[in-house]
Amino acid sequence: AAAPPAKAWTNEDMMTVLNRLQAGIGAEGAVELASAAGLKKAIRGAAKQAGLGGGVSAMPEQAQDTLALVSMLFEVLTDDKRLDERARSQLARLIVPYVRVAVLDRRLFMQSHHPARRVLNLLVDALDTAGTDVKHKALRELCFNSIEQIVSGFNDDLSIFDPIEKALAVETEASRKRAELAEKRASEAHAARERREEARDQVADFLSEVLFGKRMPNVLLEFLVGPWQHHQNM
């Protein structure tokens, strides 16, 4: 005989499962949650631990829609970004907390200025910009620390996102200015190197021209192609 269908979860049941799932997300990352299949499997496991049968199909219908929308949101935001494996895995840790955010406040999907949405946008853009470049190390580490703060600290209070957003915005701007300064210095160094090479070629050509066919003491020749040439290059 077919097993009876699992009892539908209440909202409280669903939040219990999400709380368990969020508490079990490791600091090393959660890339498996980035796929629909992986997320469903994780939900089934957390439900079993909570003594509940079924999985996603036992969730309230609106919650199932919310789960799908959050997965799509993360997929759209990260699809065309240059994110390394660690960045993608760390961002995937946020999927469960953001399901909780969406359950509490559907405006997450409708308002781009929603505090949690702004933080997510900042995190994705910052990790895309930072990559693994040393000059953006501070920004990258702040992103990972912010993710950890949300995963370990979000308890259905949306005010957690305000200070995180401010810190990310400040560091993103500071990182942008540092990158611009580094590029300017690199450009100036390249231009100076080109000027030195041009000067060296001009002096060498001049020496070759005036010394061609000349006979002179070695000490004078060594002086001309040594200290004198170096002085002229400068």
Side-chain angles (χ1 to χ4, degrees):
K7 179 184 175 183
W9 298 349
T10 64
N11 283 332
E12 290 74 17
D13 292 336
M14 182 189 63
M15 294 306 290
T16 297
V17 171
L18 292 176
N19 289 342
R20 280 182 171 272
L21 187 54
Q22 181 176 327
I25 297 174
E28 67 280 359
V31 69
E32 68 279 0
L33 297 179
S35 69
L39 184 57
K40 290 178 180 179
K41 180 179 179 181
I43 288 175
R44 280 198 305 273
K48 188 176 181 179
Q49 292 177 359
L52 295 170
V56 173
S57 59
M59 296 171 67
E61 187 173 342
Q62 185 176 2
Q64 294 182 43
D65 294 340
T66 299
L67 196 70
L69 287 172
V70 170
S71 295
M72 288 174 58
L73 175 63
F74 273 77
E75 183 178 349
V76 169
L77 288 177
T78 61
D79 184 51
D80 61 343
K81 302 298 184 181
R82 299 168 299 174
L83 300 171
D84 61 280
E85 184 178 347
R86 185 186 178 198
R88 289 188 180 277
S89 184
Q90 286 292 314
L91 284 170
R93 299 177 68 203
L94 292 175
I95 291 178
V96 174
Y98 269 75
V99 170
R100 291 176 60 183
V101 171
V103 169
L104 294 168
D105 189 355
R106 299 279 294 182
R107 291 176 299 174
L108 174 71
F109 304 117
M110 297 176 284
Q111 297 179 353
S112 60
H113 59 273
H114 189 281
R117 181 73 173 271
R118 289 199 302 265
V119 167
L120 183 58
N121 290 340
L122 280 170
L123 285 169
V124 172
D125 290 341
L127 287 170
D128 177 43
T129 298
T132 55
D133 199 324
V134 174
K135 65 176 177 286
H136 293 301
K137 181 179 179 180
L139 177 59
R140 181 176 168 88
E141 290 304 316
L142 177 61
C143 289
F144 294 151
N145 291 338
S146 299
I147 291 171
E148 175 61 31
Q149 187 177 348
I150 295 169
V151 173
S152 62
F154 179 63
N155 58 357
D156 300 340
D157 183 359
L158 296 178
S159 65
I160 190 177
F161 293 100
D162 290 331
I164 294 175
E165 179 192 358
K166 291 175 182 176
L168 285 170
V170 169
E171 183 55 39
T172 297
E173 179 63 16
S175 185
R176 182 187 66 80
K177 290 181 177 179
R178 286 196 297 269
E180 289 179 351
L181 180 60
E183 290 177 2
K184 180 181 179 182
R185 288 174 175 171
S187 177
E188 291 174 347
H190 179 70
R193 186 163 57 250
E194 288 185 334
R195 290 196 300 271
R196 287 195 299 271
E197 292 174 354
E198 182 181 0
R200 186 165 58 245
D201 292 343
Q202 289 178 353
V203 173
D205 290 344
F206 172 74
L207 269 178
S208 297
E209 182 180 344
V210 299
L211 293 178
F212 181 73
K214 300 292 193 302
R215 299 182 63 186
M216 61 185 66
N218 284 338
V219 64
L220 179 57
L221 182 62
E222 290 173 358
F223 169 75
L224 290 174
V225 300
W228 183 90
Q229 185 174 15
H230 176 72
H231 176 73
Q232 295 303 312
N233 288 344
M234 294 301 103

